[in-house]
Amino acid sequence: MGLFSFLTQEIAIDLGTANTIIIQNDKIVLDEPSVVTIDLKTEKLVAIGEKARQMQGKTHANLKTIRPLRDGVIADFNAAEQMIRGMIKMINPKSRWFSPSLKMVVCIPSGSTEVEIRAVRDSSEHAGGREVYMIYEPMAAAIGIGLDVEAPEGNMIVDIGGGTTEIAVISLGGIVTNKSIRIAGDDLTADIMEYMRHQHNIKIGERTAEEIKINVGSALSQLENPPNDYIVQGPNQMTALPIEVPVSYQEISHCLEKSISKIETAVLSALEQTPPELYSDIVTKGIYLAGGGALLRGLDKRLSEKINIPFRVAEDPLRAVARGTGIALKNVDKFSFLIR
């Protein structure tokens, strides 16, 4: 058995639009942005993860930074495969005579079509996966938060990732109602870029918009302990001369209003389809927020006020899904809801 475990390596992958997390032996061994930089001449991988993210928007004609996943699904098959393979190499730096065969559990959005599921499976198999299992993101988030997904009671999860917002009601180890909308972190970033162009006449890139979202992003225009204004530098669109603009959280809450309303509507529509018995469980226990979007200031408060059900932010929401995927890896034989 010892020899066999040397030949097989077990890993859980949370393949996200914004970040990819790999878990091995209950530990997070890798947490990197889902970005790769490829040399267009040789088609070889130049950088991966954080290194590639630093190159984003700064490359010359021969280099291209690619985000292989868009809206939670694989958009660039070749880049995705190179990314998975490169990240697995990062956790196995020691050169072995042979690479171990991999047993993987990979996370996928609950609204994935057959074709999208197939793309993830193929990419994982090409990257060396011998046994590949898949788990839906809201299910993984619920397990990662520590909920008993197999109990006969309703749990509701809202997982706001980079590319999709997954809303699901889980009971008896299955998803009862789910809603997956393609409005999430990336759309909020795009809203900020658009707003800065319109309102302040300043051109900013994706990375700067992301920084604004992290520093002064808010879902409410009135916060108890507001963050300081964030100073943005960039070229004026008309004159191309450099300008500096202070951005306040009130402005950002105003510019994110539309996208957040869409998330609210999706939560309400998922609640509408929920069977009444499960609905009462949800009202008593509250709704859990996971994913990077859960970190947006005041989001839980805004949703609680709007929907009249308490919203709770999971502890370490960014890694809830990854942690749940890691637990699923250990219980592959027990969990009947994993997709082969």
mmCIF file of all heavy atoms in Angstrom, residues 201-240:
data_model
loop_
_atom_site.group_PDB
_atom_site.id
_atom_site.type_symbol
_atom_site.label_atom_id
_atom_site.label_comp_id
_atom_site.label_asym_id
_atom_site.label_seq_id
_atom_site.Cartn_x
_atom_site.Cartn_y
_atom_site.Cartn_z
ATOM 1 N N ASN A 201 -13.184 60.624 -16.504
ATOM 2 C CA ASN A 201 -12.378 60.772 -17.713
ATOM 3 C C ASN A 201 -10.987 60.187 -17.582
ATOM 4 O O ASN A 201 -10.033 60.702 -18.163
ATOM 5 C CB ASN A 201 -12.243 62.260 -18.060
ATOM 6 C CG ASN A 201 -13.022 62.556 -19.325
ATOM 7 O OD1 ASN A 201 -13.251 61.657 -20.127
ATOM 8 N ND2 ASN A 201 -13.432 63.786 -19.487
ATOM 9 N N ILE A 202 -10.870 59.138 -16.788
ATOM 10 C CA ILE A 202 -9.546 58.544 -16.577
ATOM 11 C C ILE A 202 -9.585 57.091 -17.036
ATOM 12 O O ILE A 202 -10.566 56.389 -16.823
ATOM 13 C CB ILE A 202 -9.124 58.664 -15.088
ATOM 14 C CG1 ILE A 202 -7.729 58.099 -14.861
ATOM 15 C CG2 ILE A 202 -10.105 57.971 -14.172
ATOM 16 C CD1 ILE A 202 -7.216 58.325 -13.447
ATOM 17 N N LYS A 203 -8.529 56.680 -17.715
ATOM 18 C CA LYS A 203 -8.493 55.325 -18.264
ATOM 19 C C LYS A 203 -7.720 54.435 -17.297
ATOM 20 O O LYS A 203 -6.566 54.737 -16.972
ATOM 21 C CB LYS A 203 -7.768 55.404 -19.612
ATOM 22 C CG LYS A 203 -8.164 54.354 -20.595
ATOM 23 C CD LYS A 203 -7.527 54.720 -21.923
ATOM 24 C CE LYS A 203 -7.744 53.621 -22.954
ATOM 25 N NZ LYS A 203 -7.054 53.946 -24.195
ATOM 26 N N ILE A 204 -8.341 53.347 -16.834
ATOM 27 C CA ILE A 204 -7.611 52.438 -15.925
ATOM 28 C C ILE A 204 -7.714 51.013 -16.441
ATOM 29 O O ILE A 204 -8.629 50.661 -17.173
ATOM 30 C CB ILE A 204 -8.143 52.516 -14.473
ATOM 31 C CG1 ILE A 204 -9.633 52.159 -14.408
ATOM 32 C CG2 ILE A 204 -7.877 53.874 -13.852
ATOM 33 C CD1 ILE A 204 -10.155 51.921 -13.011
ATOM 34 N N GLY A 205 -6.755 50.193 -16.044
ATOM 35 C CA GLY A 205 -6.752 48.785 -16.469
ATOM 36 C C GLY A 205 -7.454 47.899 -15.442
ATOM 37 O O GLY A 205 -7.891 48.361 -14.388
ATOM 38 N N GLU A 206 -7.493 46.618 -15.761
ATOM 39 C CA GLU A 206 -8.197 45.653 -14.911
ATOM 40 C C GLU A 206 -7.580 45.567 -13.508
ATOM 41 O O GLU A 206 -8.291 45.481 -12.517
ATOM 42 C CB GLU A 206 -8.109 44.285 -15.595
ATOM 43 C CG GLU A 206 -9.294 43.382 -15.325
ATOM 44 C CD GLU A 206 -9.267 42.142 -16.214
ATOM 45 O OE1 GLU A 206 -9.416 42.256 -17.446
ATOM 46 O OE2 GLU A 206 -9.065 41.072 -15.656
ATOM 47 N N ARG A 207 -6.250 45.602 -13.468
ATOM 48 C CA ARG A 207 -5.583 45.463 -12.162
ATOM 49 C C ARG A 207 -5.905 46.630 -11.241
ATOM 50 O O ARG A 207 -6.144 46.453 -10.050
ATOM 51 C CB ARG A 207 -4.069 45.374 -12.356
ATOM 52 C CG ARG A 207 -3.589 43.957 -12.551
ATOM 53 C CD ARG A 207 -2.102 43.888 -12.517
ATOM 54 N NE ARG A 207 -1.558 44.184 -11.203
ATOM 55 C CZ ARG A 207 -0.261 44.260 -10.960
ATOM 56 N NH1 ARG A 207 0.606 44.067 -11.915
ATOM 57 N NH2 ARG A 207 0.179 44.525 -9.741
ATOM 58 N N THR A 208 -5.902 47.855 -11.791
ATOM 59 C CA THR A 208 -6.201 49.023 -10.969
ATOM 60 C C THR A 208 -7.645 48.980 -10.484
ATOM 61 O O THR A 208 -7.935 49.285 -9.323
ATOM 62 C CB THR A 208 -5.957 50.320 -11.779
ATOM 63 O OG1 THR A 208 -4.658 50.243 -12.346
ATOM 64 C CG2 THR A 208 -6.055 51.549 -10.919
ATOM 65 N N ALA A 209 -8.548 48.573 -11.383
ATOM 66 C CA ALA A 209 -9.967 48.481 -11.009
ATOM 67 C C ALA A 209 -10.144 47.478 -9.866
ATOM 68 O O ALA A 209 -10.917 47.691 -8.929
ATOM 69 C CB ALA A 209 -10.802 48.070 -12.211
ATOM 70 N N GLU A 210 -9.386 46.391 -9.936
ATOM 71 C CA GLU A 210 -9.412 45.361 -8.885
ATOM 72 C C GLU A 210 -8.946 45.957 -7.556
ATOM 73 O O GLU A 210 -9.548 45.721 -6.508
ATOM 74 C CB GLU A 210 -8.488 44.219 -9.328
ATOM 75 C CG GLU A 210 -8.486 43.011 -8.448
ATOM 76 C CD GLU A 210 -9.649 42.070 -8.683
ATOM 77 O OE1 GLU A 210 -10.209 42.036 -9.801
ATOM 78 O OE2 GLU A 210 -10.005 41.377 -7.736
ATOM 79 N N GLU A 211 -7.863 46.771 -7.625
ATOM 80 C CA GLU A 211 -7.345 47.424 -6.411
ATOM 81 C C GLU A 211 -8.402 48.351 -5.795
ATOM 82 O O GLU A 211 -8.565 48.406 -4.581
ATOM 83 C CB GLU A 211 -6.090 48.255 -6.754
ATOM 84 C CG GLU A 211 -4.883 47.433 -7.130
ATOM 85 C CD GLU A 211 -4.333 46.648 -5.961
ATOM 86 O OE1 GLU A 211 -4.189 47.213 -4.871
ATOM 87 O OE2 GLU A 211 -4.069 45.429 -6.142
ATOM 88 N N ILE A 212 -9.098 49.107 -6.673
ATOM 89 C CA ILE A 212 -10.140 50.015 -6.180
ATOM 90 C C ILE A 212 -11.226 49.200 -5.456
ATOM 91 O O ILE A 212 -11.679 49.552 -4.365
ATOM 92 C CB ILE A 212 -10.784 50.816 -7.347
ATOM 93 C CG1 ILE A 212 -9.748 51.735 -8.005
ATOM 94 C CG2 ILE A 212 -11.983 51.636 -6.863
ATOM 95 C CD1 ILE A 212 -10.251 52.440 -9.259
ATOM 96 N N LYS A 213 -11.615 48.074 -6.080
ATOM 97 C CA LYS A 213 -12.674 47.237 -5.509
ATOM 98 C C LYS A 213 -12.267 46.718 -4.131
ATOM 99 O O LYS A 213 -13.060 46.724 -3.194
ATOM 100 C CB LYS A 213 -12.959 46.069 -6.463
ATOM 101 C CG LYS A 213 -14.112 45.186 -6.049
ATOM 102 C CD LYS A 213 -14.451 44.166 -7.128
ATOM 103 C CE LYS A 213 -13.414 43.070 -7.188
ATOM 104 N NZ LYS A 213 -13.682 42.099 -8.242
ATOM 105 N N ILE A 214 -10.990 46.299 -4.014
ATOM 106 C CA ILE A 214 -10.526 45.750 -2.736
ATOM 107 C C ILE A 214 -10.419 46.850 -1.682
ATOM 108 O O ILE A 214 -10.795 46.660 -0.521
ATOM 109 C CB ILE A 214 -9.162 45.041 -2.927
ATOM 110 C CG1 ILE A 214 -9.371 43.777 -3.777
ATOM 111 C CG2 ILE A 214 -8.514 44.690 -1.599
ATOM 112 C CD1 ILE A 214 -8.102 43.156 -4.321
ATOM 113 N N ASN A 215 -9.941 48.036 -2.086
ATOM 114 C CA ASN A 215 -9.699 49.094 -1.103
ATOM 115 C C ASN A 215 -10.927 49.889 -0.705
ATOM 116 O O ASN A 215 -11.086 50.242 0.464
ATOM 117 C CB ASN A 215 -8.612 50.052 -1.615
ATOM 118 C CG ASN A 215 -7.238 49.429 -1.515
ATOM 119 O OD1 ASN A 215 -6.738 49.209 -0.433
ATOM 120 N ND2 ASN A 215 -6.643 49.097 -2.646
ATOM 121 N N VAL A 216 -11.793 50.214 -1.689
ATOM 122 C CA VAL A 216 -12.966 51.033 -1.340
ATOM 123 C C VAL A 216 -14.279 50.450 -1.856
ATOM 124 O O VAL A 216 -15.289 51.141 -1.896
ATOM 125 C CB VAL A 216 -12.818 52.500 -1.844
ATOM 126 C CG1 VAL A 216 -11.771 53.251 -1.051
ATOM 127 C CG2 VAL A 216 -12.497 52.554 -3.321
ATOM 128 N N GLY A 217 -14.274 49.171 -2.253
ATOM 129 C CA GLY A 217 -15.515 48.570 -2.749
ATOM 130 C C GLY A 217 -16.555 48.472 -1.641
ATOM 131 O O GLY A 217 -16.218 48.144 -0.506
ATOM 132 N N SER A 218 -17.802 48.775 -1.961
ATOM 133 C CA SER A 218 -18.849 48.713 -0.941
ATOM 134 C C SER A 218 -20.204 48.482 -1.602
ATOM 135 O O SER A 218 -20.427 48.886 -2.736
ATOM 136 C CB SER A 218 -18.870 50.032 -0.168
ATOM 137 O OG SER A 218 -20.065 50.142 0.557
ATOM 138 N N ALA A 219 -21.090 47.803 -0.858
ATOM 139 C CA ALA A 219 -22.433 47.558 -1.400
ATOM 140 C C ALA A 219 -23.425 48.562 -0.811
ATOM 141 O O ALA A 219 -24.566 48.635 -1.231
ATOM 142 C CB ALA A 219 -22.862 46.136 -1.074
ATOM 143 N N LEU A 220 -22.974 49.309 0.207
ATOM 144 C CA LEU A 220 -23.858 50.292 0.849
ATOM 145 C C LEU A 220 -23.245 51.678 0.734
ATOM 146 O O LEU A 220 -22.029 51.827 0.780
ATOM 147 C CB LEU A 220 -24.025 49.952 2.338
ATOM 148 C CG LEU A 220 -24.836 48.705 2.694
ATOM 149 C CD1 LEU A 220 -24.701 48.412 4.178
ATOM 150 C CD2 LEU A 220 -26.304 48.884 2.338
ATOM 151 N N SER A 221 -24.094 52.688 0.636
ATOM 152 C CA SER A 221 -23.540 54.046 0.528
ATOM 153 C C SER A 221 -23.286 54.657 1.910
ATOM 154 O O SER A 221 -22.727 55.736 2.025
ATOM 155 C CB SER A 221 -24.497 54.939 -0.263
ATOM 156 O OG SER A 221 -25.770 54.882 0.323
ATOM 157 N N GLN A 222 -23.718 53.945 2.961
ATOM 158 C CA GLN A 222 -23.458 54.412 4.321
ATOM 159 C C GLN A 222 -22.839 53.273 5.112
ATOM 160 O O GLN A 222 -23.507 52.275 5.382
ATOM 161 C CB GLN A 222 -24.782 54.848 4.984
ATOM 162 C CG GLN A 222 -24.841 56.293 5.451
ATOM 163 C CD GLN A 222 -24.493 57.297 4.364
ATOM 164 O OE1 GLN A 222 -25.128 57.301 3.322
ATOM 165 N NE2 GLN A 222 -23.500 58.142 4.591
ATOM 166 N N LEU A 223 -21.570 53.394 5.463
ATOM 167 C CA LEU A 223 -20.904 52.331 6.232
ATOM 168 C C LEU A 223 -20.550 52.839 7.617
ATOM 169 O O LEU A 223 -20.285 54.031 7.802
ATOM 170 C CB LEU A 223 -19.619 51.890 5.532
ATOM 171 C CG LEU A 223 -19.747 51.079 4.234
ATOM 172 C CD1 LEU A 223 -18.368 50.824 3.647
ATOM 173 C CD2 LEU A 223 -20.453 49.755 4.462
ATOM 174 N N GLU A 224 -20.505 51.923 8.594
ATOM 175 C CA GLU A 224 -20.186 52.339 9.961
ATOM 176 C C GLU A 224 -18.723 52.766 10.095
ATOM 177 O O GLU A 224 -18.418 53.790 10.669
ATOM 178 C CB GLU A 224 -20.515 51.211 10.951
ATOM 179 C CG GLU A 224 -21.997 51.175 11.299
ATOM 180 C CD GLU A 224 -22.418 49.840 11.891
ATOM 181 O OE1 GLU A 224 -21.543 49.135 12.425
ATOM 182 O OE2 GLU A 224 -23.618 49.518 11.810
ATOM 183 N N ASN A 225 -17.805 51.919 9.614
ATOM 184 C CA ASN A 225 -16.399 52.374 9.628
ATOM 185 C C ASN A 225 -15.876 52.409 8.195
ATOM 186 O O ASN A 225 -15.347 51.416 7.679
ATOM 187 C CB ASN A 225 -15.502 51.506 10.526
ATOM 188 C CG ASN A 225 -15.833 50.037 10.394
ATOM 189 O OD1 ASN A 225 -16.716 49.653 9.624
ATOM 190 N ND2 ASN A 225 -15.113 49.209 11.120
ATOM 191 N N PRO A 226 -16.072 53.558 7.532
ATOM 192 C CA PRO A 226 -15.743 53.674 6.109
ATOM 193 C C PRO A 226 -14.241 53.643 5.849
ATOM 194 O O PRO A 226 -13.449 54.106 6.678
ATOM 195 C CB PRO A 226 -16.325 55.036 5.723
ATOM 196 C CG PRO A 226 -16.426 55.798 6.995
ATOM 197 C CD PRO A 226 -16.597 54.819 8.089
ATOM 198 N N PRO A 227 -13.830 53.071 4.704
ATOM 199 C CA PRO A 227 -12.410 53.100 4.330
ATOM 200 C C PRO A 227 -12.019 54.485 3.815
ATOM 201 O O PRO A 227 -12.884 55.252 3.394
ATOM 202 C CB PRO A 227 -12.339 52.073 3.199
ATOM 203 C CG PRO A 227 -13.715 52.069 2.606
ATOM 204 C CD PRO A 227 -14.659 52.382 3.715
ATOM 205 N N ASN A 228 -10.727 54.786 3.863
ATOM 206 C CA ASN A 228 -10.246 56.064 3.326
ATOM 207 C C ASN A 228 -10.363 56.060 1.803
ATOM 208 O O ASN A 228 -10.366 55.006 1.177
ATOM 209 C CB ASN A 228 -8.777 56.281 3.705
ATOM 210 C CG ASN A 228 -8.622 56.411 5.202
ATOM 211 O OD1 ASN A 228 -9.527 56.890 5.884
ATOM 212 N ND2 ASN A 228 -7.497 55.952 5.724
ATOM 213 N N ASP A 229 -10.427 57.267 1.230
ATOM 214 C CA ASP A 229 -10.482 57.366 -0.236
ATOM 215 C C ASP A 229 -9.228 56.746 -0.846
ATOM 216 O O ASP A 229 -8.154 56.777 -0.253
ATOM 217 C CB ASP A 229 -10.568 58.851 -0.664
ATOM 218 C CG ASP A 229 -11.947 59.420 -0.334
ATOM 219 O OD1 ASP A 229 -12.760 58.679 0.249
ATOM 220 O OD2 ASP A 229 -12.204 60.588 -0.673
ATOM 221 N N TYR A 230 -9.385 56.204 -2.026
ATOM 222 C CA TYR A 230 -8.260 55.563 -2.713
ATOM 223 C C TYR A 230 -7.829 56.473 -3.866
ATOM 224 O O TYR A 230 -8.662 56.942 -4.632
ATOM 225 C CB TYR A 230 -8.704 54.192 -3.240
ATOM 226 C CG TYR A 230 -7.599 53.386 -3.865
ATOM 227 C CD1 TYR A 230 -6.575 52.846 -3.086
ATOM 228 C CD2 TYR A 230 -7.579 53.138 -5.244
ATOM 229 C CE1 TYR A 230 -5.566 52.091 -3.655
ATOM 230 C CE2 TYR A 230 -6.565 52.388 -5.819
ATOM 231 C CZ TYR A 230 -5.559 51.873 -5.019
ATOM 232 O OH TYR A 230 -4.555 51.126 -5.589
ATOM 233 N N ILE A 231 -6.531 56.728 -3.948
ATOM 234 C CA ILE A 231 -6.030 57.633 -4.993
ATOM 235 C C ILE A 231 -5.693 56.828 -6.259
ATOM 236 O O ILE A 231 -4.923 55.875 -6.202
ATOM 237 C CB ILE A 231 -4.759 58.376 -4.516
ATOM 238 C CG1 ILE A 231 -5.002 59.091 -3.180
ATOM 239 C CG2 ILE A 231 -4.279 59.358 -5.580
ATOM 240 C CD1 ILE A 231 -5.942 60.262 -3.234
ATOM 241 N N VAL A 232 -6.297 57.231 -7.371
ATOM 242 C CA VAL A 232 -6.050 56.536 -8.636
ATOM 243 C C VAL A 232 -5.264 57.460 -9.565
ATOM 244 O O VAL A 232 -5.603 58.635 -9.708
ATOM 245 C CB VAL A 232 -7.392 56.169 -9.318
ATOM 246 C CG1 VAL A 232 -7.141 55.400 -10.603
ATOM 247 C CG2 VAL A 232 -8.245 55.347 -8.386
ATOM 248 N N GLN A 233 -4.229 56.906 -10.193
ATOM 249 C CA GLN A 233 -3.460 57.690 -11.161
ATOM 250 C C GLN A 233 -3.612 57.072 -12.544
ATOM 251 O O GLN A 233 -3.661 55.853 -12.669
ATOM 252 C CB GLN A 233 -1.972 57.693 -10.775
ATOM 253 C CG GLN A 233 -1.726 58.396 -9.452
ATOM 254 C CD GLN A 233 -0.338 58.107 -8.915
ATOM 255 O OE1 GLN A 233 0.181 57.028 -9.102
ATOM 256 N NE2 GLN A 233 0.241 59.094 -8.237
ATOM 257 N N GLY A 234 -3.685 57.923 -13.539
ATOM 258 C CA GLY A 234 -3.819 57.406 -14.903
ATOM 259 C C GLY A 234 -3.890 58.552 -15.897
ATOM 260 O O GLY A 234 -3.876 59.724 -15.519
ATOM 261 N N PRO A 235 -3.992 58.206 -17.189
ATOM 262 C CA PRO A 235 -4.046 59.266 -18.192
ATOM 263 C C PRO A 235 -5.461 59.824 -18.371
ATOM 264 O O PRO A 235 -6.439 59.077 -18.327
ATOM 265 C CB PRO A 235 -3.608 58.535 -19.470
ATOM 266 C CG PRO A 235 -4.015 57.120 -19.256
ATOM 267 C CD PRO A 235 -3.961 56.869 -17.787
ATOM 268 N N ASN A 236 -5.559 61.123 -18.559
ATOM 269 C CA ASN A 236 -6.838 61.737 -18.905
ATOM 270 C C ASN A 236 -7.186 61.277 -20.321
ATOM 271 O O ASN A 236 -6.339 61.263 -21.199
ATOM 272 C CB ASN A 236 -6.691 63.263 -18.867
ATOM 273 C CG ASN A 236 -7.992 63.966 -19.154
ATOM 274 O OD1 ASN A 236 -8.743 63.574 -20.044
ATOM 275 N ND2 ASN A 236 -8.273 64.998 -18.402
ATOM 276 N N GLN A 237 -8.444 60.925 -20.523
ATOM 277 C CA GLN A 237 -8.814 60.377 -21.825
ATOM 278 C C GLN A 237 -8.734 61.386 -22.959
ATOM 279 O O GLN A 237 -8.457 61.030 -24.095
ATOM 280 C CB GLN A 237 -10.233 59.841 -21.747
ATOM 281 C CG GLN A 237 -10.232 58.425 -21.278
ATOM 282 C CD GLN A 237 -11.550 57.790 -21.594
ATOM 283 O OE1 GLN A 237 -12.565 58.254 -21.122
ATOM 284 N NE2 GLN A 237 -11.544 56.753 -22.402
ATOM 285 N N MET A 238 -9.012 62.643 -22.636
ATOM 286 C CA MET A 238 -9.031 63.660 -23.680
ATOM 287 C C MET A 238 -7.624 64.143 -24.014
ATOM 288 O O MET A 238 -7.232 64.230 -25.165
ATOM 289 C CB MET A 238 -9.877 64.872 -23.258
ATOM 290 C CG MET A 238 -11.184 64.508 -22.583
ATOM 291 S SD MET A 238 -12.273 63.617 -23.679
ATOM 292 C CE MET A 238 -13.237 64.953 -24.323
ATOM 293 N N THR A 239 -6.848 64.426 -22.953
ATOM 294 C CA THR A 239 -5.559 65.085 -23.187
ATOM 295 C C THR A 239 -4.369 64.137 -23.112
ATOM 296 O O THR A 239 -3.256 64.510 -23.477
ATOM 297 C CB THR A 239 -5.345 66.186 -22.136
ATOM 298 O OG1 THR A 239 -5.342 65.548 -20.838
ATOM 299 C CG2 THR A 239 -6.444 67.217 -22.176
ATOM 300 N N ALA A 240 -4.593 62.928 -22.542
ATOM 301 C CA ALA A 240 -3.520 61.943 -22.305
ATOM 302 C C ALA A 240 -2.499 62.435 -21.275
ATOM 303 O O ALA A 240 -1.431 61.849 -21.118
ATOM 304 C CB ALA A 240 -2.814 61.560 -23.603
#
